[in-house]
């Protein structure tokens, strides 16, 4: 899911930055999988605990990470 898709799923397709901000403030992020949200171009985007942690979580979950390098 991209940040744009996430914003749309929340009923605010124009609020992409807000959707990204919600992910950034997600305190239980390791349990609520905001790390699965990507930029619309397929890149990782940001993550409160760093991109290495985001990449590691995606790899552990076997989410297609070849496009995320």
């Amino acid at each position: 899911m991209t940040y744009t898709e996430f914003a749309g799923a929340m009923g605010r397709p124009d609020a992409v930055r807000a959707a990204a901000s919600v992910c950034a403030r997600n305190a239980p992020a390791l349990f609520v999988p905001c790390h699965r949200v990507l930029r619309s171009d397929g890149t990782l985007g940001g993550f409160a605990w760093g991109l290495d942690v985001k990449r590691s979580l995606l790899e552990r979950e076997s989410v297609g990470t070849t496009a995320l390098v």
Side-chain angles (χ1 to χ4, degrees):
M1 172 180 286
T2 65
Y3 292 108
T4 302
E5 292 167 337
F6 181 55
M10 297 295 109
R12 292 290 309 272
D14 59 329
V16 177
R17 293 182 76 109
S21 180
V22 166
C23 288
R25 291 190 202 122
N26 182 14
L30 298 177
F31 306 103
V32 180
C34 67
H35 62 277
R36 295 182 187 160
V37 181
L38 306 173
R39 290 181 174 165
S40 58
D41 65 2
T43 59
L44 290 178
F47 189 60
W49 290 275
L51 293 181
D52 289 338
V53 173
K54 186 171 186 171
R55 188 176 290 109
S56 175
L57 289 167
L58 292 170
E59 287 172 356
R60 277 190 222 144
E61 295 173 352
S62 298
V63 175
T65 57
T66 55
L68 306 176
V69 176

